[in-house]
Each structure stands twice: as C-alpha cells, then as structure tokens.
Amino acid sequence: MPKKIGILTSGGDCAGLNAVIRAVVHAAAHKGWETHGILDGTAGLLGETPQTRLLTTEEFNGNVMRMGGTILGTTNKGDPFHYPMPDGSHKDRTSEIIDNYNKLGLDALISIGGDGSHDILRRIAQQGSIKMVGIPKTIDNDIGETETSVGYDTAVMVATEALDRLQPTAASHDRVMILEVMGRDAGHIALSTGIAGGADIILIPEIDYSMENIVATIKKVKKEERNFALIVVSEAVKTPQGEKVAAKNSEGKTLYGGIGAYIADEISKKAEVEARVTVLGHVQRGSPPTYRDRLLATAFGVKAVNLIDEGKFDRMVAWKNREVVDIAIADAIKAYHAVDPDDTLVHTARGIGISFGD
Ligand code: F6P
C-alpha cells in the first residue's frame, strides 16, 4: 500500500533542513509514497485545521535544497505541554496536536529537530500512538549518540570564514579580534572554528579560564610572534567569577550574548591592547549548506524513509563510524553531548599552542 508520511521541522532553523526534506520527498516518491509537510513545527497542528501541504519531487528538483532555513517554517517557542495563552495562563495543547495529526491520515511522521524538540515530540508521539522517526539537526552539535547533526558543519564554515575576514583587519590595526559564536552550553562550534581559523585562544563553557592566562597569552603572542591576536569565545562562557552573560526573553528562555564584549573590555584594560568584538549570531544558521551538511542531510533523509518502510519507530537516525545508523530517540535525548575536555580536538588545539585560558 502507498503510504502518506508527514514531515516537520522543529526548534531553531539551520542550514541543511531543506536538503533533508528534499531527500525524504525523493526517497518516499521512489517507493510510491506521498510526503506532506506540516508547517511551522507543532504550531501547524494547533487550531481548527492542520496546516500542511503536499511536497512534490517537482518542487524539490534541486533548487530548494541549496537554500538555508526551512521552507516548512519552524518554531522554538510554545512548549505544547505548557503552552502560553494570551491571558497569561498555560495550557496543555498536546491533544489538539494529536487530533489534528489523526485528521491528516498519515502513516508516519518524520521529525527534524534537536534534543529539546525530540523530547517534546517523542512524548506527544507516545501519548497519541504516532509512529515517529527523528532526524537530528542543530548547529550546536550537542545531540548525543550521533557524531554530528545537520547544520553544524555549515555553522563552523561560516564562523571560520568570519575569522578569515577578521585576521587581515586585526593585523592592519595591531588589534585583538574576538569572535563570539553560538553553541549554547556546548563549545563545539568555538573549538572547531578556533582550530580551523587560526585562533590564539579558544574559550568554551566546558573549560574554566582566568583573565590572567588570557592576558599572558596575548602579551606573549605580541612580543614573540606577531602584532595581532584572534580569540574565539563560545556564547555560554561565563565570566571568571562564574556569572552568566545572558538575558531572558518574555518566555523565560535564556538568550546568550555579551561575553565577547566582557572579554574585550578586560583585555583592553589588562593587556593594554585594542580589542574589538564580532558577535556572529544567526548568520551561522542562514547560509547555504556545505557539501558535508548536504550529504548528511541526504543520508539521514533516505535512512528515515527506510526505517518507516521497515516498521521501525521511536528511532532517530545517527552518524557513527562513517555510517548512518538508527538509535532509540530516548537514548539520544539522554546522552547530551558537550565538549569533553579530553576530546581529541582539545588535544589538537593544545598541540599547536592554542590556549584555552586555563
Ligand atoms: O540552538 C541553536 C541556537 O542557534 C543556539 O546556538 C543559540 O543560543 C540559540 O539557538 C538562539 O536561539 P534564537 O533563535 O531563539 O535566538
């Protein structure tokens, strides 16, 4: 029997989401199945009528997958178990989502999301007996049980290019250039970018630092090596006193930003050099995907469709040892993946003299 499958993107967008959707649409069509896109994540299943559209191989003829973002739209707010209502109260709206999903008559659902989204979606799927397969995406690369997730490679490429552009201006002005990158509580983007982009110092939430060590490294670089220095700092790095540099939005979500400015200020005072900051922000999410993200997205999309064909649900596709595999979604959620201070890339960075300020 031809199947009807649904697909949605959930949480923050990143590069490669459209490449995943394209792979799913084509792999499903290859089996004679239909793919229905659910719009704006779970928000598309709230209200009277489910918001969906049929996705065709004609639409995904090769152009859409080159684009950043997600053509389905997404949301990273409004937890359906605790949905903020206009009157300030909160409501469990999961039964609305399940009812709307059932109205669509879908055989299975493919969810593209991070650990937070998959935690929510898995609980909804269990409650509504929805047959779900997950695909990991996040620029933060913090999902456990997979070596990498869709969007991470592109974010690192964008951040590395930013360092390439900061280096000449740093050298022209004898400055210390600080690049603040995203990643939430995991320092993967900063670590990879710092190595690939030639940073002198990498600051990540997983390794404590002191201002004295940073200042000493900068003075050493300026005295013995060259007239400028480059620093990459991950957004969730705290001050040496352990204070978070972040704000809360109206939903109470922590929005990081500002640690770069703090470090620049301290360096200007203590190392007596000019320091400038670039906060890369959402630029890391909107670029066309790299070839690696496109390959990963395609391999993940095809595997997800095959899992549905095999009747394997509550599974997430993952990349391990040069292979696409599938694991229990619950295991991926449990195994949060921050940078291990003993990680091979941490040793690599130290091996070429990069300081972590520790
Ligand atoms: O999780 C992805 C991410 O880009 C984080 O690196 C960042 O802290 C956060 O999302 C930003 O969220 P928002 O898009 O809500 O500003």
Side-chain angles (χ1 to χ4, degrees), residues 223-236:
K223 192 162 164 232
E224 296 171 16
E225 294 174 39
R226 61 194 127 76
N227 66 331
F228 70 92
L230 300 175
I231 300 180
V232 183
V233 57
S234 192
E235 61 178 0

Side-chain angles (χ1 to χ4, degrees), residues 200-252:
D200 300 288
I201 301 171
I202 298 171
L203 300 176
I204 56 175
E206 297 87 344
I207 299 179
D208 290 340
Y209 69 96
S210 76
M211 274 321 299
E212 291 67 35
N213 290 338
I214 292 177
V215 169
T217 302
I218 288 168
K219 285 190 171 162
K220 184 169 174 289
V221 167
K222 297 268 281 182
K223 192 162 164 232
E224 296 171 16
E225 294 174 39
R226 61 194 127 76
N227 66 331
F228 70 92
L230 300 175
I231 300 180
V232 183
V233 57
S234 192
E235 61 178 0
V237 165
K238 294 179 179 157
T239 67
Q241 293 73 37
E243 285 151 14
K244 251 188 195 174
V245 185
K248 292 249 183 233
N249 73 2
S250 55
E251 278 208 333

Side-chain angles (χ1 to χ4, degrees), residues 336-357:
Y336 177 74
H337 173 229
V339 173
D340 180 347
D342 208 21
D343 188 283
T344 188
L345 287 184
V346 174
H347 287 295
T348 300
R350 292 196 197 277
I352 55 164
I354 297 176
S355 164
F356 287 87

Side-chain angles (χ1 to χ4, degrees), residues 56-314:
T56 62
T57 49
E58 288 73 41
E59 182 184 5
F60 285 88
N61 61 6
N63 294 337
V64 180
M65 68 104 174
R66 295 174 217 283
M67 292 161 33
T70 162
I71 60 148
L72 294 179
T74 187
T75 180
N76 63 357
K77 54 187 176 94
D79 174 357
F81 285 95
H82 196 66
Y83 198 88
M85 303 302 286
D87 65 0
S89 65
H90 288 88
K91 190 176 166 193
D92 181 349
R93 297 184 70 183
T94 51
S95 57
E96 229 171 287
I97 290 176
I98 294 164
D99 289 349
N100 271 324
Y101 179 84
N102 288 334
K103 275 185 211 163
L104 295 170
L106 298 172
D107 293 289
L109 175 68
I110 293 179
S111 56
I112 313 169
D115 54 352
S117 295
H118 275 121
D119 182 27
I120 291 172
L121 287 163
R122 179 170 187 265
R123 282 186 283 139
I124 297 174
Q126 289 195 319
Q127 194 176 306
S129 303
I130 294 171
K131 293 172 175 167
M132 190 174 92
V133 170
I135 297 182
K137 66 87 214 164
T138 169
I139 66 164
D140 305 337
N141 202 22
D142 57 356
I143 305 177
E145 299 291 335
T146 180
E147 283 158 22
T148 189
S149 294
V150 174
Y152 171 65
D153 190 69
T154 306
V156 173
M157 182 209 68
V158 170
T160 303
E161 278 185 7
L163 271 193
D164 290 348
R165 288 170 170 76
L166 287 171
Q167 185 274 325
T169 168
S172 304
H173 283 267
D174 297 352
R175 280 175 173 162
V176 174
M177 285 294 183
I178 299 164
L179 179 68
E180 182 179 309
V181 297
M182 283 185 164
R184 290 202 85 76
D185 302 307
H188 297 288
I189 298 179
L191 177 59
S192 292
T193 299
I195 297 171
D200 300 288
I201 301 171
I202 298 171
L203 300 176
I204 56 175
E206 297 87 344
I207 299 179
D208 290 340
Y209 69 96
S210 76
M211 274 321 299
E212 291 67 35
N213 290 338
I214 292 177
V215 169
T217 302
I218 288 168
K219 285 190 171 162
K220 184 169 174 289
V221 167
K222 297 268 281 182
K223 192 162 164 232
E224 296 171 16
E225 294 174 39
R226 61 194 127 76
N227 66 331
F228 70 92
L230 300 175
I231 300 180
V232 183
V233 57
S234 192
E235 61 178 0
V237 165
K238 294 179 179 157
T239 67
Q241 293 73 37
E243 285 151 14
K244 251 188 195 174
V245 185
K248 292 249 183 233
N249 73 2
S250 55
E251 278 208 333
K253 176 182 169 180
T254 302
L255 296 181
Y256 289 108
I259 185 63
Y262 172 88
I263 302 277
D265 196 38
E266 289 290 299
I267 287 176
S268 313
K269 286 191 277 199
K270 296 183 176 150
E272 289 156 13
V273 287
E274 256 198 323
R276 293 287 189 271
V277 189
T278 300
V279 181
L280 213 46
H282 296 81
V283 168
Q284 291 155 101
R285 299 203 324 213
S287 162
T290 60
Y291 90 89
R292 277 171 175 273
D293 268 332
R294 295 180 202 195
L295 288 184
L296 191 68
T298 310
F300 279 175
V302 169
K303 177 76 175 176
V305 170
N306 286 341
L307 285 177
I308 294 174
D309 208 8
E310 290 159 22
K312 283 177 88 178
F313 300 107
D314 201 19

